[in-house]
Amino acid sequence: MINPTVVELSRLQFALTALYHFLFVPLTLGLSVLLAAMETVYVITGKPLYKEMTQFWGRLFGINFAIGVATGLTMEFEFGTNWSMYSHFVGDVFGTPLAIEGLMAFFMESTFVGLMFFGWERLSKPAHLAVTYLVALGSNLSALWILIANGFMQDPVGARFDPNTMRMEFTNFGALVFNDDAQAKFVHTTIAGFVTAAMFVMGVSAFYLLRRQHRGFAARSFRIAALFGLISSLAVVTLGDALGRLDYLLQRPKLAAIEGLWHTTTPPYAPEKIFAIPDDETQRDIVSIGVPYVLTPLVTHSWTTSIPGIDALERAAKPKIVKGIAAVTALEAYAKTKSPAALAAFRKYENDMGYGLLAERFAPEEDLNKIAKRDLPSIVNRTARATIPNVFVEFWSFRLMVALGFAFIVVFAFAAYWSLKNELEKHPWVLKVAMWSIPLPVLVCEYGWIVAEAGRQPWSVYGWLPTFTSASTHSVGYMVFSLLGFVTLYSAFIAAELYLMFKYARLGPGYRGTAAEAVAPPPAHGQPGYADRPWE
Amino acid sequence: MEIYAALKVIWALLLGFLLTGLAVMVGMDMGVGTLLRFVGSNDAERRAALNMIGPHWDGNQVWFILGGGAIFAAFPTLYATSFSTFYIVMIVLLFSMILRPVAFEYRSKIEATRWRETWDWAFLISGAVPMIIYGAAVGNVLQGVGFHFSWDGQYYQDESFIWYLLNPFALLCGVLSLSLSVFEGGAMLMMRGEEPLYGRARGFAIGGGSLAALLFVIGGIWVQFIKGFAYFGPVDPAAPATPLGGPAVVMREGAWMDNFHAHPILWLVPAIGLFGMIAGPLALAARRPILGWWLGALAWIGTIGTVGGAMFPFLMPSTTKSSQSLSVWNASGSAYNLAWMLAFALVFTPVIVAYTSWAFHLMRGKVRPQPTPGDEHLY
Amino acid sequence: MRNFIKIVALALVLALALCLAVIAGDYGPWYFAWLVGTAMIVLVAAAGAVLYEAQEGARGTTREE
């Protein structure tokens, strides 16, 4: 018997720790590349200001990186500690990209990040630049393998269920790596990280420009970040469209939830809802405002194709659920008797077995064998309803993500324009918007995560393994213990992180840190702790 | 199908290699963390100690992450079951381990004494606790764990968690692993440190290595009286990997010695470990920290090799349903998966070893409590 | 000899890059787009800074005149 409270607490813990981890990851991804760009300018021009620039933003990178590494440890182990059935069921194919990530990417990133910070005096200029590029490459390759793993959860290709080992077995490496979902998501996620980092550097530079501090330094950082962000924010939208199309092709319930489609659309009139309050309970909108003739071409890239609504999707799921129940009962019989007849019965419906597992939570004592014939229709109906993710969450996470994503393009466009004309200080509103926008891309990344992962529900592996079936069989006490611990530790971490980020951003470039306090000769003039900077 | 059996054995060996890498590299950093408060009497000395491993701790930690990833991919059922049955222990391990990266980065960024004192305690916790847990977990696995599987492969736990932590044999293994890590950490501090850090580290490391040797011998004798596990009847190593419906397993005292009796050459492995634990402290006493460090690595190889040699092919035996004990044969990934992973490991492991060595070579030399200008990003 | 080794090394890197591009281009169009796109983003951002220096230089010269 699976305890539903334990499953809910496990989901809560995973969502909290993953969302928390993902507060820091995008900045690491993007800032590593941005640092490489800055150091490239240093090596090309030879101007010490760009070295200082790389080191200053590198310091902030370090503060962020440490907490990203720490919270990443949690993610690597949580599959095993909280999702044992999941790990057993797909470990053969899901664990592989995670292991390769360590082997190929994380080792590289972590080893060279040490040299990046410590090696300025021991490496030649080009060698240090190469190290910085390897850190950037390593962190982005990490993202690649993680998203290949995630792509498998979204669209399980390259593996086949084996009734003898009761798990999905890896069958095609190429299919796993070149999974369309993994590809589009990798580009979308990393470039979203580029946007996050660009906004961060631009916003902090804007802060200096507004306060007329470190102007030469800040104007140059602003320029690099604005251009970096402008192209990235354009690219991220393109990829967003590609992902939406994949959801239309492969995960229709997710798309229907995102667009709030309770009913199948009538092309080409179907309106794109701009504002709505979807009510999951009654499956209708309390309020809805839309723009007609937009939805169909946007999603289907045609004028005549209709998009199935939630009512149609539930109807389509019902026969799969009936077949799935037959498949799972046959599988259980095969597991216990090894009879060829049971195996044959399983093989007949094996592709729908996930829907059978999904029905387990509604069966008496979670046992499909105990479903009475007269109860079957009601259980099938409840299971069909459960195949639809939460519409309200999907609808609004998606809209906030998209609206802010487009807003970023506008911000970066103005910022880049005035920066290229060197007239930023005449337009303080651009600087103010840039400064106040620093946290927004982080928020948008979180929305993106919610759209992708909450939209995958009720599955942990789409169509094959329900989230409900995936969890470890813990007691509630275990979960309370770990949840309390995570909340305490993570709250302390975020407080320390924000404090240090603000402190070091305020101190600005040129501050040698407490590191050199013991050795730095007392400055003859100017503020203590600051080196002389001729370009100010 | 012979190839499948060979792949399983290769991955068991690679797992041993990874666990050894983890123990040597992460153990060294954790030893430094454990010793931090004791070898450094003031802030400058402690900062010097941290900066000796400063450029490397992050890379070293990946051994831990890679270990987790490799178990996940190569032995998915082991990953799923062990991490869940040891839940509370694993969570405590995780909490202590995630303190460490943050401690490194944040400790010296604020000058307040209380702030730094707090993080120094965090270093002690995040150094000592994980090493004790690693050892204790191995100690518990040697005694068997209470779990069984339902027909669909879901595990069920049969015993409460307190038992796992609190038994004398597991604690002995925990202290053994802590003392080896103190030895390696101390050797590292000697390599890159100067007096008075050097002398203090030397004292602790010699103590740690000697204690490890003593505990290793006691543990070796103790194992004779522990109920080990052995397959009863023939086993097909190339069978599809599932713990369900496996051959019978018997529990009896001294079963962990079967492999040593069958293959006397295996005695070389504990001999190598013991040699490392005895010769290591002697090398440090003779002020040869580099030699001592390598002997410490040898001690780890011997220790982990001994456990692996005793248990093979078992990975995590079950006391409550012994036929469902997890072994190299029934908990591994599919042949296709193991083959691909092997290809990646063959390409990337040498590359990793090469650039890690280069990084250590590049950052060699003494770290002084009074840093010279230009030393960037000191912790 | 040194130059020869350099040329061989460069040729190898080029061959590797070509292989990567062909594989990525054939099977992973998005991966290919990422490789090209990221390189472009980095170069444009760096070029922005170089342009800044040129603008500074120009302003400095006008002031002197």
Side-chain angles (χ1 to χ4, degrees):
Chain A
M1 283 284 285
I2 298 166
N3 182 345
T5 315
V6 171
V7 178
E8 287 308 312
L9 290 175
S10 301
R11 287 184 64 191
L12 178 68
Q13 180 174 308
F14 197 88
L16 280 180
T17 49
L19 283 170
Y20 188 89
H21 177 55
F22 207 52
L23 286 173
F24 311 102
V25 171
L27 189 57
T28 300
L29 285 175
L31 206 46
S32 63
V33 180
L34 207 39
L35 288 178
M38 289 169 179
E39 202 179 332
T40 308
V41 182
Y42 169 57
V43 172
I44 292 172
T45 64
K47 288 198 177 231
L49 183 144
Y50 291 99
K51 181 179 175 187
E52 173 129 16
M53 189 187 281
T54 315
Q55 289 179 336
F56 171 71
W57 298 110
R59 200 146 54 224
L60 298 184
F61 172 84
I63 296 173
N64 183 67
F65 182 74
I67 198 162
V69 170
T71 54
L73 281 173
T74 307
M75 304 320 301
E76 175 99 10
F77 287 81
E78 231 171 350
F79 292 106
T81 53
N82 289 86
W83 303 98
S84 67
M85 188 59 190
Y86 173 86
S87 305
H88 161 77
F89 195 83
V90 292
D92 192 46
V93 40
F94 183 86
T96 309
L98 294 194
I100 296 176
E101 186 249 351
L103 215 49
M104 184 176 183
F106 203 56
F107 244 118
M108 184 158 104
E109 181 187 8
S110 300
T111 305
F112 288 111
V113 88
L115 297 186
M116 183 171 98
F117 288 135
F118 281 82
W120 285 100
E121 303 299 317
R122 301 195 183 207
L123 287 160
S124 69
K125 268 194 209 175
H128 192 278
L129 179 66
V131 163
T132 307
Y133 268 99
L134 285 173
V135 172
L137 184 67
S139 63
N140 282 278
L141 277 177
S142 266
L144 170 71
W145 289 102
I146 296 298
L147 289 163
I148 285 174
N150 180 267
F152 178 80
M153 300 169 80
Q154 307 285 350
D155 180 19
V157 290
R160 188 164 185 275
F161 181 78
D162 182 345
N164 288 311
T165 52
M166 284 291 167
R167 66 178 182 199
M168 302 200 76
E169 302 229 318
F170 201 0
T171 55
N172 191 335
F173 188 81
L176 178 80
V177 171
F178 295 110
N179 184 348
D180 282 334
D181 195 88
Q183 287 199 35
K185 200 159 276 171
F186 163 67
V187 186
H188 190 59
T189 309
T190 50
I191 308 277
F194 295 2
V195 173
T196 309
M199 196 65 97
F200 175 78
V201 171
M202 204 170 88
V204 176
S205 305
F207 170 76
Y208 297 140
L209 290 171
L210 282 167
R211 297 199 4 176
R212 300 276 193 268
Q213 285 177 332
H214 323 295
R215 283 155 77 182
F217 176 90
R220 287 174 176 87
S221 298
F222 192 100
R223 166 79 60 88
I224 295 177
L227 291 171
F228 195 88
L230 179 61
I231 311 176
S232 305
S233 58
L234 285 167
V236 99
V237 171
T238 320
L239 266 298
D241 173 67
L243 273 171
R245 195 168 157 69
L246 279 176
D247 286 334
Y248 163 64
L249 295 173
L250 301 166
Q251 283 192 30
R252 298 205 157 171
K254 184 192 276 182
L255 183 90
I258 284 172
E259 300 293 357
L261 299 176
W262 302 114
H263 308 289
T264 302
T265 60
T266 43
Y269 172 77
E272 165 74 32
K273 292 179 189 173
I274 302 297
F275 181 90
I277 303 179
D279 179 29
D280 281 274
E281 211 55 50
T282 56
Q283 295 207 332
R284 60 180 189 86
D285 295 331
I286 296 168
V287 192
S288 167
I289 304 163
V291 185
Y293 299 105
V294 172
L295 183 63
T296 310
L298 194 68
V299 172
T300 66
H301 294 189
S302 94
W303 283 104
T304 49
T305 322
S306 62
I307 307 164
I310 284 164
D311 53 352
L313 292 170
E314 283 189 18
R315 263 199 311 280
K318 283 176 191 172
K320 288 187 178 183
I321 296 164
V322 176
K323 289 181 199 164
I325 291 173
V328 173
T329 43
L331 183 64
E332 186 175 352
Y334 176 69
K336 287 173 178 166
T337 62
K338 297 279 165 202
S339 88
L343 184 62
F346 168 74
R347 287 282 184 220
K348 199 167 162 198
Y349 300 125
E350 64 178 331
N351 288 334
D352 292 320
M353 71 169 269
Y355 289 85
L357 293 173
L358 193 62
E360 273 183 343
R361 62 191 279 201
F362 302 107
E365 292 172 43
E366 292 169 17
D367 187 346
L368 295 178
N369 292 308
K370 293 194 173 134
I371 299 177
K373 199 152 193 165
R374 61 187 156 80
D375 292 337
L376 188 63
S378 85
I379 285 170
V380 169
N381 282 340
R382 289 169 71 194
T383 311
R385 179 60 79 86
T387 58
I388 308 299
N390 186 306
V391 177
F392 184 87
V393 168
E394 287 299 288
F395 185 87
W396 279 108
S397 303
F398 180 79
R399 265 153 195 75
L400 289 168
M401 171 179 81
V402 171
L404 285 168
F406 277 106
F408 294 155
I409 299 180
V410 178
V411 173
F412 281 118
F414 277 108
Y417 179 75
W418 294 122
S419 170
L420 285 171
K421 294 198 81 171
N422 281 328
E423 287 178 8
L424 276 172
E425 296 192 358
K426 290 181 196 158
H427 301 272
W429 61 272
V430 175
L431 297 174
K432 280 184 185 149
V433 170
M435 190 178 83
W436 289 106
S437 299
I438 293 176
L440 292 181
V442 177
L443 197 67
V444 172
C445 290
E446 301 276 300
Y447 284 136
W449 185 85
I450 292 171
V451 170
E453 309 308 319
R456 192 191 65 237
Q457 301 305 324
W459 306 101
S460 59
V461 180
Y462 188 76
W464 284 90
L465 187 70
T467 311
F468 187 81
T469 320
S470 310
S472 297
T473 54
H474 291 315
S475 65
V476 175
Y478 276 24
M479 291 310 303
V480 170
F481 169 77
S482 55
L483 263 168
L484 282 178
F486 276 120
V487 169
T488 316
L489 264 183
Y490 279 18
S491 307
F493 284 176
I494 192 103
E497 149 103 7
L498 288 176
Y499 176 76
L500 286 174
M501 274 287 192
F502 276 106
K503 175 181 160 159
Y504 277 84
R506 285 229 174 84
L507 287 171
Y511 180 68
R512 287 283 164 233
T514 57
E517 80 227 12
V519 277
H525 51 83
Q527 298 143 291
Y530 285 84
D532 288 329
R533 278 161 300 141
W535 52 83
E536 284 291 314
Chain B
M1 288 308 273
E2 293 302 310
I3 294 173
Y4 190 22
L7 279 169
K8 287 176 181 176
V9 174
I10 289 171
W11 268 102
L13 291 172
L14 279 174
L15 187 66
F17 171 73
L18 281 175
L19 290 180
T20 310
L22 184 159
V24 174
M25 305 302 273
V26 183
M28 163 179 79
D29 293 350
M30 295 203 162
V32 172
T34 309
L35 290 178
L36 185 65
R37 293 188 61 83
F38 308 110
V39 293
S41 59
N42 57 41
D43 188 57
E45 285 173 13
R46 288 184 190 171
R47 292 190 65 167
L50 287 179
N51 283 298
M52 288 170 203
I53 51 169
H56 309 299
W57 70 269
D58 200 353
N60 292 346
Q61 176 164 267
V62 183
W63 285 98
F64 178 71
I65 293 166
L66 188 57
I71 295 182
F72 198 174
F75 298 99
T77 314
L78 175 69
Y79 173 81
T81 314
S82 61
F83 281 44
S84 278
T85 47
F86 286 113
Y87 189 69
I88 297 290
V89 180
M90 276 312 214
I91 292 291
V92 172
L93 173 70
L94 202 58
F95 287 162
S96 53
M97 287 220 43
I98 57 183
L99 277 177
R100 220 164 54 100
V102 187
F104 266 107
E105 191 63 46
Y106 290 1
R107 181 198 178 275
S108 301
K109 289 244 176 349
I110 292 177
E111 275 174 62
T113 318
R114 252 182 79 186
W115 172 269
R116 293 189 174 175
E117 275 288 320
T118 311
W119 286 116
D120 289 347
W121 280 108
F123 272 112
L124 178 59
I125 294 170
S126 65
V129 172
M131 288 319 292
I132 292 176
I133 290 183
Y134 291 150
V138 172
N140 278 309
V141 166
L142 275 167
Q143 298 170 85
V145 182
F147 66 92
H148 70 273
F149 293 95
S150 62
W151 69 269
D152 54 3
Q154 173 69 289
Y155 87 98
Y156 288 89
Q157 190 166 0
D158 301 327
E159 277 155 307
S160 76
F161 75 89
I162 293 291
W163 180 87
Y164 293 123
L165 259 186
L166 303 177
N167 70 77
F169 183 73
L171 284 178
L172 179 139
C173 296
V175 177
L176 169 59
S177 105
L178 178 65
S179 24
L180 275 178
S181 93
V182 165
F183 176 81
E184 287 289 78
M188 181 68 190
L189 289 174
M190 287 171 73
M191 257 187 261
R192 297 201 67 194
E194 291 182 335
E195 291 294 355
L197 232 113
Y198 183 95
R200 294 185 198 132
R202 180 164 163 263
F204 283 111
I206 292 175
S210 316
L211 180 63
L214 180 68
L215 292 176
F216 188 65
V217 173
I218 297 178
I221 297 167
W222 197 332
V223 159
Q224 319 271 338
F225 304 101
I226 281 178
K227 276 193 178 169
F229 294 74
Y231 275 117
F232 185 76
V235 184
D236 177 13
T242 170
L244 303 167
V249 171
V250 291
M251 281 175 74
R252 75 180 135 73
E253 261 181 34
W256 288 143
M257 305 311 291
D258 287 2
N259 285 341
F260 289 94
H261 296 316
H263 310 282
I265 192 161
L266 273 179
W267 284 105
L268 264 179
V269 181
I272 286 172
L274 199 57
F275 169 72
M277 289 176 212
I278 293 168
L282 291 176
L284 295 194
R287 298 178 183 275
R288 303 278 302 276
I290 298 179
L291 178 67
W293 189 90
W294 282 104
L295 286 167
L298 212 58
W300 271 119
I301 294 171
T303 311
I304 292 172
T306 304
V307 174
M311 290 188 67
F312 188 88
F314 289 98
L315 293 168
M316 188 167 89
S318 164
T319 48
T320 45
K321 189 153 187 182
S322 56
S323 74
Q324 292 186 347
S325 292
L326 295 180
S327 74
V328 173
W329 315 133
N330 70 13
S332 74
S334 65
Y336 183 83
N337 179 28
L338 294 183
W340 267 104
M341 296 248 305
L342 182 60
F344 272 89
L346 285 179
V347 174
F348 283 100
T349 312
V351 178
I352 290 168
V353 171
Y355 64 62
T356 304
S357 316
W358 179 67
F360 272 93
H361 176 73
L362 187 75
M363 300 308 301
R364 70 192 179 280
K366 295 284 184 187
V367 178
R368 291 169 185 83
Q370 299 296 314
T372 47
D375 272 354
E376 292 303 328
H377 190 86
L378 291 162
Y379 285 121
Chain C
M1 192 60 200
R2 229 185 134 75
N3 277 336
F4 177 74
I5 294 172
K6 266 187 190 167
I7 289 168
V8 170
L10 273 175
L12 278 176
V13 170
L14 199 68
L16 193 74
L18 271 174
C19 273
L20 212 76
V22 168
I23 293 173
D26 264 10
Y27 300 99
W30 283 120
Y31 293 153
F32 185 69
W34 184 89
L35 281 172
V36 177
T38 304
M40 183 189 75
I41 295 172
V42 168
L43 288 177
V44 169
V50 175
L51 177 67
Y52 188 101
E53 300 306 328
Q55 287 169 331
E56 281 281 278
R59 216 175 328 160
T61 344
T62 18
R63 219 180 292 141
E64 271 165 37
E65 276 166 8

